[in-house]
Amino acid sequence: MKCWRVRPLPGGSALRGTMRVPGDKSISHRALILSGMAGEVEPEIENLLESEDVKATREIIRKVFGGGTGGEEKGSAETQKPKNAAEGGDPVLELDCGNSGTTIRLMMGVLSGRKGCCFRLDGDASLRRRPMERVAAPLRKMGACIETNEGRPPVRIEGRELIGTRVQLSVASAQVKSALLLAGLQATGTTEITSPAPSRDHTERMLNYFGVPVEGSGNGRAVAVRGPASLAPRPVSVPGDISSAAFFLVAAALIPGSELSIENLGLNPTRTGILDCFDAAGVSWEAQGIETVSGEPRGKVSVRAGEFSAFGIAGDLVPRLIDEIPVLALLAAHSAGGLSVFRDAAELRVKESDRIARIAEVFGRIGLVVRTRDDGLEIPGGQSVRGGTVSSGGDHRIAMTAAVAGLVSREGVIVEDVACVETSFPGFQETVERLAPGVIEAIEG
Ligand code: S3P
């Protein structure tokens, strides 16, 4: 098993300079999916994230829209096309989503409208534990034919004629909203989706950019698309992923003397909740040179280390920073004092792992006190990381949070099971090593 040994940054050294992080994962998935739906199976995408999750989407787009299995020469005997059951032969196209919730959920919307074709979507052990009825149930209201395995993958879909419908979501999930919008493109009539809180709007922005108007896009809770609609493919440039940048922004805030800038960073307001937390806590940061490229704002964000206070996370802020909560919990433990309460975040329990339980387990092993709630965490400030050995539990964001904890620890942290980091941040170890030579090494555990 691949592990990391992370040493504390030597006294007096800090994180300084200007860096970049890999392309945004959410935007990369959407660029491949929307381009595929627009007939571009091998699109030119600048700064596409080359991670395992995005590779899963790329392979699926090739199989579904390109008629190929991905690795073979074009037109070879292995070429598989989804077959109409009436034509005989194996009618089911098997699609492997790996660890990626975004791939399976968005593709459920895409495939539901592929009339005459049959698909089976599956993934790894973590994905097989994640809820899919939140997508399947509203899609069925549009006429989709979907079977789940007691609510979880594998998911079997028979493409059908879809009808635009009004849907009220019970969770503020961009994956569910996006699946319905992508189904809505293929449906007859208007598909209107209302969410309990705004969630990331990359799908809406990219649909608009590809020539399909989405009503109510922006920060609203209700969005609508009229089908059937066809997409006009356009070149996409992917900004850096703020969820990947979060590890370095927090590390820079914590390590005395640090002053770190991250350029070309995605700054979509539905994703910048971490910067709201910095404001609430008094962490010093600034954004410069903001411009909009292929429908998404980006710019340079700089953070400076200094003292900061406890901060809360609740309500509409939660979807704007949901993936950053593990590393924000580490930040909260180092506040000058007081209690940081993170609530309304029960969604954390159904991510790549139960992140509430995982954070409590990992923090406990490295000497940090944290109390769990059903819907979040309570984290006393004024703490510092002792060190120890922890397991990521196969969750990439837990692995990278534990690595940052190692940098600010007294005794160092061994992080077990770090291969999962490839799902979102290939090159994380090398990026840490460039900023702080000698602090991180890969070991076999
Ligand atoms: C994502 C949406 C979020 C997020 C995930 C990526 C997306 O999930 O946690 O990492 O690309 O739409 P939910 O939609 O389940 O909140």
Side-chain angles (χ1 to χ4, degrees):
M1 192 202 316
K2 185 180 169 192
C3 307
W4 286 326
R5 184 197 307 278
V6 186
R7 297 193 177 83
L9 217 67
S13 43
L15 302 185
R16 295 185 156 271
T18 301
M19 61 176 288
R20 288 184 176 223
V21 291
D24 186 276
K25 180 155 74 71
S26 293
I27 298 175
S28 294
H29 284 298
R30 286 154 174 84
L32 288 170
I33 293 172
L34 267 58
S35 298
M37 292 180 88
E40 283 284 349
V41 180
E42 300 291 345
E44 285 287 327
I45 301 168
E46 190 189 66
N47 199 35
L48 184 81
L49 175 64
E50 298 287 346
S51 76
E52 291 303 318
D53 275 16
V54 177
K55 280 184 202 158
T57 293
R58 188 198 275 281
E59 289 304 301
I60 288 174
I61 291 302
R62 283 181 177 148
K63 281 191 177 186
V64 172
F65 293 103
T69 52
E72 81 285 7
E73 292 291 310
K74 262 200 180 123
S76 82
E78 277 173 61
T79 298
Q80 287 180 28
K81 263 214 156 71
K83 293 183 192 115
N84 187 321
E87 290 171 13
D90 178 7
V92 180
L93 190 62
E94 301 279 345
L95 302 171
D96 181 4
C97 304
N99 188 247
S100 176
T102 307
T103 306
I104 194 165
R105 294 195 177 119
L106 268 57
M107 288 311 299
M108 284 169 72
V110 174
L111 301 176
S112 288
R114 304 270 298 162
K115 289 187 290 283
C117 303
C118 204
F119 308 91
R120 189 171 169 279
L121 294 154
D122 204 352
D124 68 9
S126 151
L127 196 70
R128 277 185 166 206
R129 286 192 291 269
R130 300 183 65 185
M132 295 298 140
E133 278 300 320
R134 54 177 60 192
V135 195
L139 283 172
R140 283 187 203 110
K141 279 186 70 182
M142 298 176 70
C145 175
I146 306 182
E147 264 175 48
T148 62
N149 177 25
E150 295 182 2
R152 296 169 180 10
V155 174
R156 192 176 185 284
I157 299 177
E158 273 178 37
R160 288 282 156 89
E161 192 88 46
L162 301 177
I163 312 286
T165 314
R166 270 198 179 162
V167 181
Q168 181 94 41
L169 302 184
S170 52
V171 278
S173 160
Q175 292 176 352
V176 180
K177 177 181 64 175
S178 300
L180 293 166
L181 285 170
L182 298 178
L185 290 180
Q186 307 165 76
T188 309
T190 300
T191 300
E192 190 186 308
I193 307 136
T194 308
S195 304
S199 59
R200 64 190 68 191
D201 66 355
H202 304 300
T203 306
E204 295 92 307
R205 284 171 183 260
M206 206 178 290
L207 286 174
N208 281 323
Y209 180 66
F210 277 33
V212 174
V214 180
E215 283 164 45
S217 49
N219 265 358
R221 285 159 201 247
V223 291
V225 71
R226 191 190 300 264
S230 46
L231 297 164
R234 293 185 65 188
V236 177
S237 169
V238 182
D241 196 326
I242 194 165
S243 299
S244 297
F247 302 103
F248 295 95
L249 296 175
V250 167
L254 288 179
I255 297 168
S258 296
E259 194 163 353
L260 187 67
S261 298
I262 305 188
E263 57 185 11
N264 196 43
L265 190 59
L267 291 173
N268 178 319
T270 61
R271 295 284 302 282
T272 50
I274 184 173
L275 301 175
D276 293 32
C277 286
F278 284 181
D279 281 338
V283 172
S284 167
W285 71 276
E286 64 171 356
Q288 286 170 303
I290 299 179
E291 54 172 345
T292 297
V293 183
S294 42
E296 291 280 353
R298 62 174 71 179
K300 177 164 112 175
V301 171
S302 310
V303 173
R304 193 180 308 146
E307 205 175 79
F308 57 92
S309 55
F311 58 97
I313 295 176
D316 286 6
L317 179 58
V318 174
R320 297 180 52 233
L321 47 63
I322 187 75
D323 294 335
E324 288 69 83
I325 286 181
V327 79
L328 284 170
L330 182 68
L331 183 74
H334 290 84
S335 74
L339 187 69
S340 293
V341 180
F342 297 1
R343 57 186 169 84
D344 304 326
E347 274 297 296
L348 290 174
R349 297 213 178 262
V350 289
K351 293 292 177 190
E352 287 83 332
S353 67
D354 174 344
R355 286 189 177 152
I356 294 176
R358 209 68 234 154
I359 290 168
E361 157 86 18
V362 166
F363 279 29
R365 286 184 187 273
I366 56 178
L368 295 177
V369 173
V370 58
R371 284 188 290 278
T372 62
R373 305 164 47 104
D374 288 347
D375 68 344
L377 297 160
E378 294 180 0
I379 310 147
Q383 308 189 63
S384 63
V385 178
R386 180 196 60 229
T389 298
V390 302
S391 169
S392 74
D395 185 325
H396 54 135
R397 303 213 192 271
I398 299 291
M400 291 183 274
T401 298
V404 176
L407 295 181
V408 299
S409 68
R410 295 191 294 281
E411 298 169 9
V413 171
I414 291 180
V415 192
E416 294 175 343
D417 197 1
V418 298
C420 52
V421 168
E422 293 297 314
T423 61
S424 69
F425 200 150
F428 175 84
Q429 185 191 322
E430 293 73 13
T431 306
V432 173
E433 185 62 26
R434 264 198 303 278
L435 275 175
V439 295
I440 185 167
E441 80 180 292
I443 54 174
E444 271 304 305

